[in-house]
Amino acid sequence: MKKVSLDTWIQLLGMVGLLGGLVFVGLELQQSQRIAVATQIQGRNQMMPNYLLAPLEGQLTAVSLRAPRPHEELSENELLIREQLVLHRSLTITNAWQQYSLGLLTDDAWNVPAERARACTTTARRGSGLLQASHHRLLNMQKVIGLRYSAN
C-alpha cells in the first residue's frame, strides 16, 4: 500500500476548507436576500398604514374606540374611524405574517400578532363594505394562523 504524502493531505484539507467557505458565503447571500426582501415588503406595507393613520392624527375618538363597543352604538364618524383602525391592524398583522413566513420572526414574536388577529376577528362586526373586507381578510389570516399552528 502506497503512503500518501503530507503535501497531498494539506491540499485535501485546503480544498475542504475552500468548499466550506463557499457554502458559508452561499448561506450568507441567501440570508442577505431574505432580509432585503423582508425590508422591501415592510416598506410597501408601511405606506398603507401611514395613509390610513394620517386622518386619525389628533382624533381622541380613535383612542376611545380601542375598547370593544357594539357596532350598533357607534355613530357614523366612529364607524369610519373604527374601519380605519381595523384596516391598519389587518395590515400590521399581514406584515408580521409575511416576516414570520420568511423566518425573520420567532414563534414567540409571531404569537403576539397572531393573538391580535384572533381578537380582531371577534371585534370586527358586519358594517360597511370596507369593514367587511377587513373582517374577511382577518378571517382568512386566522385560517392561515390555524394551519400554521397545527403544522407545528
Side-chain angles (χ1 to χ4, degrees):
M1 186 140 130
K2 191 174 178 185
K3 245 186 169 181
V4 180
S5 70
L6 180 63
D7 202 27
T8 305
W9 283 109
I10 290 173
Q11 285 180 359
L12 180 65
L13 286 174
M15 288 194 309
V16 168
L18 180 65
L19 287 174
L22 288 174
V23 168
F24 179 74
V25 167
L27 291 173
E28 287 289 319
L29 285 172
Q30 185 180 24
Q31 182 183 23
S32 294
Q33 181 186 12
R34 188 179 303 150
I35 290 170
V37 167
T39 303
Q40 185 182 29
I41 289 170
Q42 185 170 356
R44 267 190 258 127
N45 287 345
Q46 188 59 42
M47 290 185 327
M48 191 62 174
N50 289 346
Y51 172 77
L52 291 172
L53 293 178
L56 300 180
E57 288 184 16
Q59 287 276 350
L60 293 178
T61 309
V63 177
S64 71
L65 290 174
R66 290 161 104 190
R69 285 181 30 208
H71 179 78
E72 299 78 27
E73 293 178 10
L74 300 176
S75 70
E76 188 173 329
N77 187 42
E78 290 172 328
L79 284 171
L80 290 173
I81 292 172
R82 178 177 271 178
E83 287 176 0
Q84 293 290 89
L85 293 173
V86 169
L87 279 172
H88 175 260
R89 288 176 186 151
S90 68
L91 287 171
T92 57
I93 292 166
T94 301
N95 184 42
W97 166 252
Q98 289 169 335
Q99 298 222 356
Y100 178 70
S101 63
L102 285 171
L104 299 173
L105 285 180
T106 63
D107 287 340
D108 290 337
W110 166 242
N111 285 336
V112 173
E115 289 303 318
R116 192 178 310 137
R118 286 189 186 93
C120 285
T121 58
T122 59
T123 58
R125 302 281 185 240
R126 297 226 180 260
S128 71
L130 190 58
L131 186 58
Q132 289 175 7
S134 296
H135 180 68
H136 290 298
R137 184 177 190 175
L138 287 168
L139 286 175
N140 288 336
M141 181 66 66
Q142 189 175 26
K143 289 176 190 172
V144 171
I145 292 165
L147 291 175
R148 185 67 172 197
Y149 279 140
S150 64
N152 289 338

